[in-house]
Amino acid sequence: MVTDYGQGYATRSEPRHRLPAGLRAPFAARSRREFGYVLLSLPVATVLFSWTVTMVVLGAGLLVTFLGIPVLAAALAGCRGFGVLERARARGLLGLEVADPEPLRLRKPGAAAWMGAMLKSGASWRHVLYALVQFPWAVFSFSVAVTFWACGWGLLSYPLWFWVFPAYAGEGGIQLYGDAHHSVYLDNPFEITVTALIGLVFTLATPWLVRALTTVDGLLVRGLLGPSPLSARVVELESDRGIVVDTAAADLRRIERDLHDGAQARLVNLAMDLGLAKEKLREDPRTAARMVEEAHGEVKTALQELRDLARGIHPAVLTDRGLDAALSAVASRCTVPVRVEVDLPARPAPAIEGIAYFTVSELLQNISKHSGARSASVDVWRSEDRLMLQVTDDGVGGADASRGSGLAGLAARLDAVDGILMVDSPAGGPTRVIAELPWRG
């Protein structure tokens, strides 16, 4: 969660129910959707299994001729088409969001290239595996769910229809036991009541059993019909690379703007003032001396701006003495007293060290501008293979991630190196921000 300071939490009251979840489950919309998913799984899995086995066996048998390759490619394409249906069904009935698998990588256009890409695609063969695994599981889950559902509601409603047996079947009720000499029927009030109570247990347990079955279905859909971990990681790295490029470009624009509007403008004015002072040197030495003195002040101001700019990029104290000294220098410029404690066995990689410095600097700047705090603290330590940063303050708190964020760019910087930014800021404070970075020595 990423958020900015000075924003209040938006509260939303959750609906309250008088009945516990166990009693509401048989009538809940989620339970109906999950049961519907199990019912649909059997016909869908039957069609998918029949298509897959038929086409794959036919294609394998025709591999001795050229026809086997297009048949196998068609089989895989059909499985991928069923995969679209299954992801949509899981999304609509189970609320399971599964991204599309990695697309085919065609080196060149044409039917031959498409068939080769289809046969080489790992996602296509995962769809085939899903078709083979899903069918027996769909048969099992359908049988279990329908049996429990029918037994539960049938036994629970037994007091309403037990009269059918003596009226039309000539028996006292449901036959519990019977042989040539003796029969036991559920026909007296006590037995009917116990039967209904057993049906109630089955009815209450069925939604949770169906939920467990659909959990396995969700694992199958996510694991076999979604993107592979490797492809998901590639997409994440590509996104992180884009973020790093955009961040670097923004930093370059900021540096160029600061140089153009700040130090460069002052140096231009300084050159003009020194030129005028040079012309006045012989005619009016006092005026020239005053202009040189003013130019000297401009030099000091320009040097200070250049130091601030360099400090914002990568301060020399960070390179020379590490995070402890650099963060202490940043804390000394904060508008509230800041306690800094750095406990590191060694220095991390320069890139990680620079991001850590920039993160703490931004957080302390937020404290100065928005928190209304009287004190703050910065703690830095190493936990296994992670560099941990924690910045706390006793300000007004009330951070809300849903209302936008001034720290989105900071979160993007951390995410680009597999870092995490977490904010805990209840209304009234205190505010605690934790950042995690990978430790790279």
Side-chain angles (χ1 to χ4, degrees):
M1 179 176 65
V2 182
T3 183
D4 202 352
Y5 293 87
Q7 298 172 334
Y9 275 115
T11 59
R12 182 181 64 179
S13 59
E14 296 293 338
R16 295 184 178 181
H17 300 277
R18 295 181 179 180
L19 292 177
L23 298 179
R24 298 195 314 269
F27 309 99
R30 177 180 176 181
S31 299
R32 293 195 298 270
R33 291 193 301 268
E34 291 171 342
F35 189 70
Y37 183 91
V38 172
L39 294 181
L40 287 175
S41 292
L42 182 59
V44 172
T46 302
V47 175
L48 177 56
F49 182 83
S50 302
W51 164 270
T52 303
V53 172
T54 302
M55 295 296 290
V56 170
V57 171
L58 179 61
L62 292 175
L63 281 178
V64 294
T65 67
F66 178 74
L67 294 177
I69 294 179
V71 171
L72 279 178
L76 297 180
C79 290
R80 291 181 72 113
F82 276 103
V84 175
L85 171 64
E86 288 294 87
R87 287 192 296 273
R89 192 164 66 94
R91 186 183 306 112
L93 296 178
L94 302 182
L96 183 65
E97 293 291 339
V98 179
D100 295 336
E102 55 272 22
L104 297 179
R105 298 184 179 274
L106 299 177
R107 298 182 180 272
K108 56 183 179 179
W114 177 83
M115 289 186 290
M118 184 66 70
L119 294 174
K120 294 178 182 178
S121 172
S124 301
W125 291 104
R126 289 200 306 272
H127 281 67
V128 171
L129 180 60
Y130 175 84
L132 299 179
V133 174
Q134 172 67 4
F135 177 69
W137 175 252
V139 172
F140 172 78
S141 59
F142 180 91
S143 303
V144 172
V146 171
T147 300
F148 269 74
W149 184 86
C151 288
W153 286 104
L155 296 179
L156 179 61
S157 61
Y158 183 57
L160 302 177
W161 56 271
F162 80 96
W163 56 269
V164 172
F165 289 93
Y168 296 100
E171 298 178 352
I174 296 177
Q175 185 177 11
L176 187 63
Y177 171 78
D179 55 23
H181 306 286
H182 183 66
S183 298
V184 177
Y185 296 95
L186 302 176
D187 53 2
N188 62 62
F190 174 76
E191 294 172 344
I192 293 174
T193 302
V194 172
T195 302
L197 292 177
I198 294 175
L200 178 62
V201 173
F202 271 75
T203 301
L204 295 178
T206 298
W208 305 103
L209 177 63
V210 173
R211 188 160 301 173
L213 296 174
T214 54
T215 299
V216 178
D217 284 289
L219 294 176
L220 290 175
V221 172
R222 188 182 298 276
L224 297 177
L225 301 184
S228 65
L230 179 59
S231 64
R233 180 59 176 166
V234 169
V235 172
E236 181 183 358
L237 291 176
E238 290 177 348
S239 176
D240 291 345
R241 182 182 62 183
I243 292 174
V244 170
V245 172
D246 293 341
T247 303
D251 289 341
L252 288 176
R253 289 193 298 269
R254 176 180 60 84
I255 294 170
E256 181 182 6
R257 184 180 62 252
D258 292 342
L259 287 173
H260 182 271
D261 298 340
Q264 180 178 346
R266 291 189 180 277
L267 291 176
V268 170
N269 291 333
L270 175 62
M272 295 176 60
D273 291 342
L274 289 178
L276 293 175
K278 181 179 179 182
E279 295 178 357
K280 293 282 187 179
L281 184 59
R282 294 182 180 180
E283 299 177 1
D284 191 353
R286 290 187 178 181
T287 303
R290 179 175 54 81
M291 297 177 67
V292 170
E293 184 177 354
E294 293 176 355
H296 183 255
E298 288 290 325
V299 170
K300 291 182 178 179
T301 304
L303 288 175
Q304 183 61 39
E305 290 182 355
L306 288 174
R307 291 193 188 97
D308 294 339
L309 182 60
R311 188 183 297 115
I313 300 173
H314 195 90
V317 65
L318 178 61
T319 303
D320 297 337
R321 300 173 56 189
L323 276 174
D324 195 355
L327 295 182
S328 298
V330 173
S332 65
R333 298 192 296 272
C334 189
T335 57
V336 300
V338 180
R339 177 188 61 82
V340 179
E341 183 174 346
V342 178
D343 182 15
L344 296 177
R347 294 183 62 175
I352 299 300
E353 199 172 51
I355 295 176
Y357 171 83
F358 180 83
T359 300
V360 175
S361 299
E362 288 292 312
L363 294 175
L364 291 181
Q365 187 176 7
N366 281 344
I367 291 176
S368 299
K369 292 181 178 180
H370 306 294
S371 69
R374 294 184 300 273
S375 63
S377 64
V378 177
D379 296 282
V380 182
W381 71 97
R382 178 180 178 180
S383 177
E384 296 181 354
D385 60 344
R386 307 290 285 180
L387 175 62
M388 309 295 296
L389 312 172
Q390 178 176 276
V391 179
T392 59
D393 68 76
D394 57 358
V396 296
D400 183 8
S402 64
R403 298 186 180 181
S405 170
L407 301 180
L410 182 59
R413 284 176 179 263
L414 296 178
D415 185 67
V417 293
D418 291 334
I420 302 174
L421 184 70
M422 298 172 289
V423 176
D424 179 20
S425 181
T431 295
R432 181 176 65 170
V433 182
I434 298 178
E436 293 185 18
L437 289 167
W439 179 271
R440 296 172 186 169

